Each structure stands twice: as structure tokens, then as C-alpha cells.
Amino acid sequence: MNPPTPCYHCALPVPPGAPFNAVVLDQPRAFCCPGCQAVAEAIVAGGLASYYQHRDQASANPQALPRQLADELALYDRDDVQRPFVHHQGELRDATLMIEGITCAACGWLIEKRLRALDGVVEARLNLSNHRLFVQWDPARLALSQLLAELRHIGYAAHPWQPDRAAEQLASDNRRALRQLGVAGLLWFQAMMATMATWPEFNLDLSPQLHTILRWVAMFLTTPIVFYSCAPFFRGALRDLRTRHLTMDVSVSLAIGGAYVAGIWTAISGSGELYFDAVGMFALFLLTGRYLERRARERTAAATAQLVNLLPPSCLRLNADGQAERILLSELNLHDRVQVLPGAVIPADGRIVEGQSSVDESLLTGEYLPLPRHAGDTVTAGTLNVESALTVQVIALGQDTRLSAIVRLLERAQADKPKLAQLADRAAQWFLLFSLACAAAIGLLWWHLDASRAFWVVLAMLVANCPCALSLATPTALTTATGSLHRLGLLLTRGHVLEGLNQIDTVIFDKTGTLTEGRLQLHGIRPLAQVDSDHCLALAAALESQSEHPIARAFGPARQAAEQVVSHPGLGLEGRVEGRPLRIGSPGYACALSGCPLPAAPDTHGQWLLLADNRQALAWFGLDDRLRDDAKALLDACRARGWHTLLLSGDSSPMVASVARTLGIDDTHGSLPPDAKLAILQRLHREGRKVLVVGDGVNDVPLLAAADISVAMGSATDLARTCADAVLLNNRLDTLVQALHMAGRTRRVIIQNLAWAALYNGLMLPFAAAGLITPVWAAVGMSLSSLTVVLNALRLSRNAPSRRPMTATAALKTPELACPPSTS
């Protein structure tokens, strides 16, 4: 009997007669189900069929993992490495792993099926919502490194997951807040129906017994809202009373508690009005606002942790005999020597003792080109070695590295961020103190005039002055405007952006990836000999096709092959094309091949490389980082508002000055590290300026965090997007111009809402104090006031043009098709 045919996507048996087939890599393939067939067809249609070729090669040779990766995975078999995240269950072990490369439910199904098929795996369960994999295995039959290697073979990277306590606490608080909000919303609706049925206006001719039952039902439904959902308000009020610092928690607690007690009295005595629906309504409005605020804080909590992820988990340390051994990063000591292979991340700050290469420092400095580094030069943890192996002596670890210094700058900048909420709290204290004093005074007056009405008058005053309309005035307008801007392609992550844009008078721009597209392009070819431009480009492309340097991408695909290509970091490339020796790179290096005189470089912007053979110089090639098409429109809008503009870049190339001249930027500074950028921003703040920062790199993070308003490009690093107040999902700078117009409209709506809320509270207070408004009508008036504020804010959603549909999740991640997993 022939064994069943394995599914080409998941390797499970194909049922006999299954009609699921597709052509992959020019051959018909069989699949076990329509899901696998659809995923495979999507991969091929997206031009990613190379995923299967890579997977097939790995499956044919299970030991085909790169030596560096295999050594790194072998570290996970050590007991001391497993101790923090692996748990022992008798003879079995279990762990939670974070999986990278998951794009859809089919990925989860594939991972679980492949792992469960391994000899020694007892259980494998993947949580698609957070990409965490729980796996249990028998270490006597299967090593953890083999399990991780199997995940690599099918295209997924796995890392031990260990919860960050601060982030986990925030997530736990967020889940509890969501449950409290859900309980309040669900039970309020039921309590409202029971309460409204007792109103005489409905004239339902209820029997006394049913009337009593409905009162008690409303009370029981409201009790969880008060003691569970509203618990944060009461805890906050107690804290405020102990510290003698009044906030809205005091007023809210008094209103909710008073209405609840009054409702209980009515339920017991059968006389008076039920206020349980008012309790639920207060709770629902206020808890919604608190929940949205909590979610904003949760997004910023993981910012610093993401920066630390730039460091590799292990490194190659050289022993006294010069032999390399892979160790964990935590085992590295000062003055150790480490070997950094091409394509590897430098694990610690150090000094090069052997070798020369180019180092990509774009994440930390903003330089878009790798910089040449030789023996004696210092290198920084978190940067990428591009070309050749380096031997580095460690000079700083942990908190002493430059990467940690950026983290400290970030924390300090976040602490110095303007806190408009504190100013609002101080103003609100006086308002609350006045309202409570008025309620107490009026209550005493009514006690002497008519003691039976005193409690209801005080309760009406507390309800009427409950600051729902005031608290909704700004958030509703900002939320509506935020949705409109999202349709335009600008995602606001903090509510003060639209209000603050009206106060900006200075803008700071980063260059690479912000005003420019962040990738080199060939903008000019200047032949110097009797060779046409196309032939020169073909020769140069043949040489550059053998290089991994970012410059090579600008020359496009090669139409012919180059031989004996050698890279000289910081200088250029040498090789043979069409049988003749060639060099491309810096002018002096290229001309040294033939000894020809150095030709004059073109007097234009950008970086120019020279191509030469063993007889003469052949051509100049001009490279440039292309300016964004809509950058000028944004600068024109800034000038129209009289804003002062600055360009602060970590790039040291002439391109910085060229961009500033082209766009008419007022002030320009290049070669700036993150702390120097932050110092300039702090000087502007001391001068009383309100500053908007637009950037995209890790080097911009302290600047983004300290700015009055910060905007990150959609293509920015994860950390930059997390720390920014807004993210340009579509990478279109002209969206900011539309945001400026929306900011003006939003400010007008906010002023209208605040004026209406103040007018409402100012008018309701004397009417409630005079006993002309019952607590029920005070609750109705408060609801109508809140509704008016919301409807006015919804006007901001009108006439908001939308660009191509885009979701925040899709735009904030690397563009990808429905499935295939990462093959890195």
C-alpha cells in the first residue's frame, strides 16, 4: 500500500481523491484542504513563491540552518538558560514562546500541526490574539533547540516569552476596566427599564405588589454597578480626601452614592423617586472616558522595552586561544573580545581591534548610509555590521551603553512633557469646591425651611452639577476629529494634538525618511570616456550586484556577471566585467587602478561615485535620497502660518544642506546625536516656543517624547511610532496640512462645547437650589446637555475626504499578503 501523499503546504496526509490542487514553482501540487490551497495560491499570486523554495531546501537538509543560528538555538538546551521561562511538570517540560511571522489563522493551524507531529511534543497551543505558543515536550526525546529549529524550518522565529511586570499590570488593569464598563452598560439598561416602568408618566396601572418588585429589581441590578463598576471613583474620592486634593472623583462619588442611597430609601419606603437609572448612566459615561484614557497609557508603556529588543540575545566571544564560543549576552564582561560577523548586530559598545567594515547606524544616528569603521574606531551596541567580520573589545555594558543612554533620555523627556491635565485639575478643584460649598449651604437652608425636601434639593444640585458635559466637551470633539483624520491617513494616539496644533509656532523636521524617502536612487550618469551611459550603468550594476551595501540597490538588476569582486569598506568595489578590471567607489580609490588623473566631480548635490578601469575613468554616478513630493506643500503651509522651521539630522552628508535650501527651511543642523537634538528642543522651550516635531527613527525618540506635539511617519521604527502623539499612516506629508485645518475647526467646536457646558451648569445650579428641579429632571437635563455636546462634536465628521482605505493595523506593520510566514 502506497503511503498517503503529504500536503504541499502543511505536510499532513492528503485524503484520497481530494480535488485541491495548485501550481507552485512550476509544478502541480496537492493539498489536503481548501484552506491550504487558498493560502498557497495567495503566496504565489503575491510573488512570494520563493518561500516554498526556501522551505523545501530546509526540509531536504534539516541541518541547513546557518551555523550562527544553529549555535544560538543550541544555547536554549542549557538548564541555566531555560530556568527563567521553562517549567517542570514531572518528566515533562513546558514553556511559553513568542512567535514571529504569524499573519493569519492558517499560520496558527500549521504551527500546531507540525509541532504535534514531532516525536516528544505532548501539547502545542497557539493564541492567535497575542502570538504566544504554549508547548509541552519530553526533553528525553526532544531537545528545545530541535523544537525551535523546526519552527525555523517552516518559516517562523520563536523566542522565550517572559512577561514584563509593569506591562502585565497595565494589561490586567485594562481588562478589569473593560469588565467594569461592560457590567455598567449591561445592568444600567436593565435597571433603566425597571425604573421607567414605575414612572406615572407611563400609566401602566401596575399593582402595588409589582411596583414593589420592580423597585427591588432595579436596586439589585444597580448594586453591582455601584460596588464593582464605580469602585475606582470611591477609592479615588477617599484618596483625595486623605490628601486634601479635590478632583472630580469626589463630586462623582457623592452624586452616585447619594442617588444610590436615595434609591434604596425609595425602594424600602415606597415613596419618592427611584434614581437607579441615573446611577447607571453616570457610571457608563464616566467609565467610558476612563477606559479610553487607560488604553492610551497602555500603548506607551512598552516603548522602552521595544528599544532594548535591538540587542541580540547572544554573541560570539573569543577565548584566550582566539576560538569563538557562543554565549548569552548576560554572560559578556568588560574587556571581553567578541567576533561580529557580517549581518550581525553589535552586542555592546566597544572598540574595533581587528578588521574593517561598514556599520549601519541608521537606527541610532539617522545616517542613511553605513559608515566605514576600522581598527581603533568605536562602535555602538544595537548597530549592524554590514560587510566584513570585526573583532571588538567591549568597553561598555548594560546601563553604560549608548543605547541605554537613549532610554534614559526618553524617560526624562517623557517626565518633562507638558502636563495640561494638571492645570485642568487645579482649575476644576475651585469649581468643585464652590459646587460642594453651595450644595452644603443650600442644604442647611432647606433643612430650616422644609426638612423633608432638603435631601432631594442637595441631591438635585449634585446631579445637576455632575461634570459630565464638561468632561465630554473636549474628548468628544477630539474623538470625532480623530476619526476624520484617520480616514485621511493620520492616526492620533493622544488627544491633545488637535488642540495643541493651534498653539504651535516652531516645527522641527528630521531628514532621512521624513522629508526624504529614506532610500538612495540613481539620479545622474556622467560619462567621461567614449562609452555611453547605458553601458557604464551595465558595468557598474554588474559590480554592485555582488555587494550587500545599500548603495548597490540603486543600480538595479545586473544584465551580466562580474568576477573576482572584492569589497573594500569605505572605498568601493573591485572586480572584472567583460574580462577587464574595474573599480567603483570613491574617486581616489577608482583612479588608483590606472593611475589616471582625478576628474572634476560634478558640481551638483548628492553623492557621486566614480567608475574606472585599468586605463581611464569611465563615468560619474550620482546618488541621492529622493525628496518627498509633498514636502514642499507642508513647508509652504508652515511658512503661511509664520512658523519657524528647523532641520535637525544625524546625517553628516551635504544632502542635509541641500534639502534645507530646496525647501526653504530657516535653520539647519547636521551630524547631531539624540542628546544634541534634545538640547536644541529644550532651548526652544526655554524661549517660550511651542514645538511640533516630525521624525521617524530611534534617534528621534527623545525628541518626539519631549515635543509639545510629535508626529512619526508610518514607515518609522516601532518605538518612534509608539512614542509619537500621531502617526502618518500613509506617509503623506500633505495630510498634516489637512490636519492643521481640522485643528482650527476642532478648536471652535471645543469652545462651543465648553461654553454650552458652562452655561448649563450655571443655569441649573440656581434652579436646583430653589427646589424647582427634581433629581430626576436634573438627570434628564444632564443627559440632554451631554447629548448636545456629542451632537455638536459629530459635525466634525462631515466633509472629511478620505484617501484609499487603510487600517491602522495594516499601516503600522510591514505590508504583507494574507499568509506566508516570515522566512528570515
Side-chain angles (χ1 to χ4, degrees):
M1 181 177 179
N2 295 328
T5 302
C7 173
Y8 188 67
H9 183 71
C10 68
L12 291 179
V14 176
F20 311 116
N21 299 282
V23 176
V24 181
L25 298 178
D26 301 323
Q27 293 185 26
R29 311 289 184 177
F31 299 91
C32 65
C33 66
C36 287
Q37 179 187 9
V39 169
E41 290 174 343
I43 293 173
V44 174
L48 301 174
S50 57
Y51 157 68
Y52 286 112
Q53 185 175 6
H54 167 84
R55 188 200 63 178
D56 292 347
Q57 292 172 352
S59 300
N61 181 11
Q63 306 301 324
L65 287 177
R67 175 63 183 276
Q68 177 182 346
L69 178 58
D71 290 345
E72 185 174 314
L73 294 182
L75 290 174
Y76 288 108
D77 293 334
R78 290 168 38 180
D79 289 338
D80 57 330
V81 176
Q82 292 186 8
R83 192 173 298 116
F85 68 95
V86 174
H87 307 282
H88 294 258
Q89 302 290 339
E91 298 296 326
L92 303 178
R93 296 183 183 181
D94 62 68
T96 301
L97 305 175
M98 180 63 70
I99 308 298
E100 296 180 4
I102 294 175
T103 57
C104 68
C107 295
W109 180 85
L110 175 62
I111 289 172
E112 291 180 350
K113 293 297 182 182
R114 288 297 290 264
L115 292 187
R116 289 171 182 171
L118 292 179
D119 181 32
V121 173
V122 178
E123 183 58 71
R125 297 193 307 270
L126 180 69
N127 187 331
L128 280 173
S129 63
N130 54 26
H131 295 185
R132 295 175 192 168
L133 172 70
F134 172 81
V135 60
Q136 189 175 56
W137 75 98
D138 183 355
R141 297 155 58 195
L142 182 73
L144 179 57
S145 61
Q146 293 175 288
L147 191 150
L148 298 176
E150 178 64 21
L151 287 169
R152 289 277 181 173
H153 287 152
I154 60 175
Y156 301 92
H159 308 286
W161 179 81
Q162 295 176 269
D164 176 75
R165 291 186 178 181
E168 280 294 293
Q169 183 61 44
L170 279 177
S172 175
D173 293 344
N174 180 62
R175 289 191 294 269
R176 182 171 59 251
L178 186 60
R179 288 194 299 268
Q180 291 170 336
L181 177 60
V183 168
L186 179 63
L187 295 183
W188 166 63
F189 183 78
Q190 306 299 325
M192 180 183 65
M193 299 302 293
T195 302
M196 291 176 64
T198 66
W199 290 1
E201 292 85 347
F202 282 90
N203 193 23
L204 297 178
D205 295 328
L206 297 177
S207 65
Q209 294 81 4
L210 186 55
H211 199 284
T212 301
I213 291 174
L214 287 174
R215 291 199 304 268
W216 285 95
V217 166
M219 186 186 74
F220 282 120
L221 289 171
T222 307
T223 299
I225 298 178
V226 174
F227 290 99
Y228 177 70
S229 297
C230 297
F233 300 130
F234 294 111
R235 286 195 295 267
L238 289 175
R239 180 196 62 234
D240 295 339
L241 292 176
R242 291 194 193 101
T243 59
R244 299 179 182 180
H245 177 81
L246 287 180
T247 67
M248 290 184 181
D249 282 341
V250 176
S251 177
V252 167
S253 298
L254 287 173
I256 291 176
Y260 180 66
V261 171
I264 292 176
W265 172 256
T266 300
I268 295 174
S269 66
S271 61
E273 301 286 348
L274 286 174
Y275 301 103
F276 296 130
D277 55 335
V279 171
M281 181 176 55
F282 299 157
L284 189 61
F285 278 132
L286 297 171
L287 287 171
T288 299
R290 294 279 176 101
Y291 176 73
L292 295 176
E293 178 187 357
R294 180 178 297 278
R295 289 302 301 267
R297 289 200 304 268
E298 187 182 26
R299 282 195 301 267
T300 62
T304 303
Q306 291 185 17
L307 183 56
V308 177
N309 290 337
L310 293 175
L311 295 179
S314 64
C315 61
L316 289 173
R317 182 173 61 186
L318 298 177
N319 57 25
D321 298 329
Q323 299 297 315
E325 59 176 349
R326 184 159 293 277
I327 63 170
L328 292 175
L329 191 61
S330 58
E331 297 177 299
L332 197 60
N333 298 311
L334 279 177
H335 309 304
D336 281 349
R337 292 191 306 154
V338 294
Q339 185 181 51
V340 185
L341 301 176
V345 176
I346 296 174
D349 288 0
R351 181 174 290 105
I352 299 174
V353 296
E354 185 179 338
Q356 59 178 6
S357 182
S358 296
V359 177
D360 184 355
E361 300 181 352
S362 57
L363 284 175
L364 299 180
T365 67
E367 287 276 7
Y368 68 90
L369 286 176
L371 301 177
R373 292 290 183 259
H374 307 84
D377 293 341
T378 57
V379 289
T380 305
T383 57
L384 180 69
N385 181 24
V386 176
E387 293 178 303
S388 305
L390 295 174
T391 300
V392 177
Q393 185 175 32
V394 177
I395 60 175
L397 287 168
Q399 295 299 314
D400 297 326
T401 62
R402 187 179 179 188
L403 194 62
S404 297
I406 292 181
V407 173
R408 290 193 294 272
L409 285 174
L410 168 62
E411 294 171 345
R412 186 179 70 184
Q414 289 173 334
D416 293 339
K417 200 174 183 71
K419 296 187 173 89
L420 299 179
Q422 293 183 357
L423 297 177
D425 283 345
R426 286 197 291 269
Q429 285 186 61
W430 292 101
F431 170 77
L432 291 172
L433 186 61
F434 175 76
S435 299
L436 294 175
C438 286
I442 297 298
L444 289 175
L445 179 61
W446 274 99
W447 183 263
H448 291 291
L449 296 177
D450 187 352
S452 63
R453 299 185 61 190
F455 176 78
W456 309 112
V457 169
V458 171
L459 183 58
M461 293 181 65
L462 289 175
V463 173
N465 284 284
C466 188
C468 285
L470 282 172
S471 63
L472 288 172
T474 299
T476 50
L478 293 177
T479 301
T480 307
T482 296
S484 299
L485 286 175
H486 186 199
R487 290 196 295 275
L488 293 173
L490 179 68
L491 175 66
L492 303 187
T493 60
R494 291 169 180 83
H496 72 281
V497 174
L498 286 168
E499 184 181 3
L501 280 176
N502 296 287
Q503 305 169 359
I504 293 297
D505 55 25
T506 303
V507 189
I508 294 177
F509 294 100
D510 179 43
K511 179 184 73 68
T512 305
T514 303
L515 295 177
T516 67
E517 295 183 349
R519 60 179 184 271
L520 287 176
Q521 292 185 337
L522 187 63
H523 71 83
I525 304 176
R526 304 287 177 85
L528 299 174
Q530 299 302 317
V531 184
D532 61 36
S533 299
D534 290 340
H535 191 198
C536 291
L537 178 59
L539 295 175
L543 283 176
E544 294 289 352
S545 66
Q546 305 297 314
S547 173
E548 296 296 328
H549 199 283
I551 284 180
R553 304 189 194 104
F555 289 85
R559 297 193 296 268
Q560 52 190 321
E563 301 173 344
Q564 303 174 13
V565 177
V566 179
S567 172
H568 298 274
L571 298 175
L573 298 172
E574 180 178 2
R576 301 183 70 86
V577 181
E578 299 177 346
R580 60 172 167 171
L582 292 171
R583 281 187 180 181
I584 186 171
S586 63
Y589 167 75
C591 288
L593 183 62
S594 63
C596 64
L598 190 66
D603 188 18
T604 57
H605 67 275
Q607 179 179 4
W608 289 89
L609 303 180
L610 185 63
L611 174 69
D613 60 13
N614 58 347
R615 293 180 297 175
Q616 60 186 337
L618 299 177
W620 286 104
F621 292 90
L623 301 174
D624 204 351
D625 188 5
R626 185 172 178 269
L627 199 65
R628 292 187 185 272
D629 296 334
D630 50 0
K632 192 174 188 306
L634 177 58
L635 267 298
D636 291 342
C638 294
R639 280 191 293 271
R641 287 167 170 77
W643 292 356
H644 182 65
T645 54
L646 297 91
L647 177 58
L648 306 183
S649 177
D651 193 351
S652 60
S653 71
M655 182 66 178
V656 178
S658 174
V659 168
R661 285 193 303 270
T662 302
L663 298 177
I665 295 177
D666 300 327
D667 198 2
T668 307
H669 299 275
S671 303
L672 293 179
D675 52 350
K677 291 185 177 183
L678 185 60
I680 293 177
L681 176 60
Q682 291 170 338
R683 174 176 59 80
L684 293 172
H685 277 159
R686 288 193 297 269
E687 295 173 359
R689 292 184 175 271
K690 299 294 183 181
V691 183
L692 165 68
V693 171
V694 186
D696 76 320
V698 171
N699 62 308
D700 300 318
V701 166
L703 203 63
L704 292 169
D708 297 284
I709 296 177
S710 55
V711 178
M713 306 300 290
S715 57
T717 63
D718 289 340
L719 183 61
R721 292 196 303 262
T722 304
C723 292
D725 299 321
V727 180
L728 273 173
L729 301 178
N730 55 13
N731 286 312
R732 295 286 305 172
L733 293 175
D734 56 0
T735 301
L736 282 179
V737 179
Q738 300 177 65
L740 299 179
H741 296 300
M742 180 65 74
R745 293 181 59 200
T746 305
R747 183 173 181 272
R748 290 192 295 272
V749 168
I750 289 175
I751 292 175
Q752 293 166 4
N753 283 352
L754 289 174
W756 165 253
L759 179 65
Y760 161 77
N761 283 280
L763 291 177
M764 291 292 283
L765 183 61
F767 282 104
L772 300 176
I773 299 177
T774 65
V776 171
W777 286 108
V780 172
M782 188 273 294
S783 299
L784 290 176
S785 175
S786 300
L787 183 61
T788 301
V789 166
V790 172
L791 291 177
N792 187 45
L794 289 177
R795 295 190 301 113
L796 291 170
S797 62
R798 299 177 186 172
N799 303 322
S802 61
R803 296 187 182 274
R804 177 176 55 87
M806 178 183 303
T807 64
T809 302
L812 288 176
K813 294 182 178 179
T814 303
E816 54 197 8
L817 278 173
C819 203
S822 169
T823 57
S824 60

